[in-house]
Structure formats: C-alpha cells, structure tokens
Amino acid sequence: YISYQWKRGAGFDVLTYKGNGVVGRQISHNLSKIPEMIWIKQRSSTSNWVVYHKGLNGGTNPQNYYIYLDLNNAEGTSSTYWDQTAPTAINFTVGNVSDANNTNQNYISMLFASVDLLLIRLVELEQQMQIVMVKHTYIMLMRNLLNI
C-alpha cells in the first residue's frame, strides 16, 4: 500500500460538507486561488472519487468534464458534476449528483493549486546566505578584535 499525506496551506485545502441536492450549489474554499484539481468523495455511502482537473478536454471547458480517481475510465462529459461552472478563487460549484451533492450525504473534498516552490526555496537559500554572512562577519570582527 502507498500512503500520501498533505497539509492544508498554500496550494492545498480540505473541506467537508453535507449535500443538499441543489443544482448550482457553491462550496466555499480557502485556497485564495483558483483550484486546478478537485477531488470529491461521498463519505456516507459507497461511491467513487469524482475529479475536476483544469486539463480535462485539453483545457477547453474542463468544468463540463470529469474523471474518476478510483476507476480506469476515460474522461466523461457531464453538465451535472460541476454544473458547467468553472471554479473560482473562493468557491467551486456542484450539481445534484450522488458523487458530489446528494441530499443529506456527507462529502470530503480536496482542492489543489500550483505553488511557486522555487520562490520558497530561493527565500530559504537567501536566509541561509544571510546567516552565513552574519557568521562570517562575526568571525572577521572577532579576528580583528583579537588581532589574529
């Protein structure tokens, strides 16, 4: 078995909600950017993981398509999963479908967006360089004070 673990934060959000069967229901999220991929799983009964991805249908109207995370099926076309509505930086939309918004069913959703890891790494390197420079300056100062 393989186990994956994610932490909520930049580029990843997890939320739960109770389905209400309303077509066009908007679910708020905390990414503060447009999700590039959304996984939804009904927790109340057996169902598949339904997936939105920005690259479905070659990136043209991906909100009209879906795939299943746990099946080998090709991408499918449907107006019901995402109600033909692209996700935004504050919410995503679901239709009245058992895999995403069935009345009184509990769901978990995982949202993913790209983050600039290179920028984070550069900041870390810059901080390390500053620490090295401080240490170097301190050593040079001590040498001068001790006349070494």
Side-chain angles (χ1 to χ4, degrees), residues 25-63:
R25 178 177 181 189
Q26 294 185 334
I27 313 277
S28 298
H29 63 78
N30 300 305
L31 277 179
S32 300
K33 56 176 62 178
I34 297 172
E36 297 172 8
M37 182 166 57
I38 302 169
W39 299 353
I40 298 177
K41 172 78 168 96
Q42 186 184 121
R43 300 183 311 147
S44 308
S45 64
T46 304
S47 72
N48 297 307
W49 284 90
V50 65
V51 177
Y52 163 88
H53 189 276
K54 70 175 187 172
L56 289 174
N57 192 41
T60 302
N61 298 320
Q63 67 273 8

Side-chain angles (χ1 to χ4, degrees), residues 7-13 30-33 111-117 120:
K7 181 179 177 183
R8 285 180 75 183
F12 181 67
D13 192 18
N30 300 305
L31 277 179
S32 300
K33 56 176 62 178
L111 292 79
F112 303 84
S114 295
V115 293
D116 194 349
L117 294 177
I120 293 169

Side-chain angles (χ1 to χ4, degrees), residues 20-25 80-81 83 94-98 100-103:
N20 65 6
V22 173
V23 175
R25 178 177 181 189
T80 56
Y81 285 102
D83 195 40
V94 292
N96 180 13
V97 61
S98 63
N101 190 27
N102 207 10
T103 302

Side-chain angles (χ1 to χ4, degrees), residues 90-129:
I90 57 173
N91 60 46
F92 65 95
T93 304
V94 292
N96 180 13
V97 61
S98 63
D99 289 333
N101 190 27
N102 207 10
T103 302
N104 293 323
Q105 299 299 313
N106 295 314
Y107 294 88
I108 186 168
S109 60
M110 299 180 185
L111 292 79
F112 303 84
S114 295
V115 293
D116 194 349
L117 294 177
L118 180 59
L119 178 60
I120 293 169
R121 185 67 183 136
L122 286 174
V123 169
E124 289 174 358
L125 287 172
E126 183 177 300
Q127 289 171 346
Q128 290 173 2
M129 287 178 57

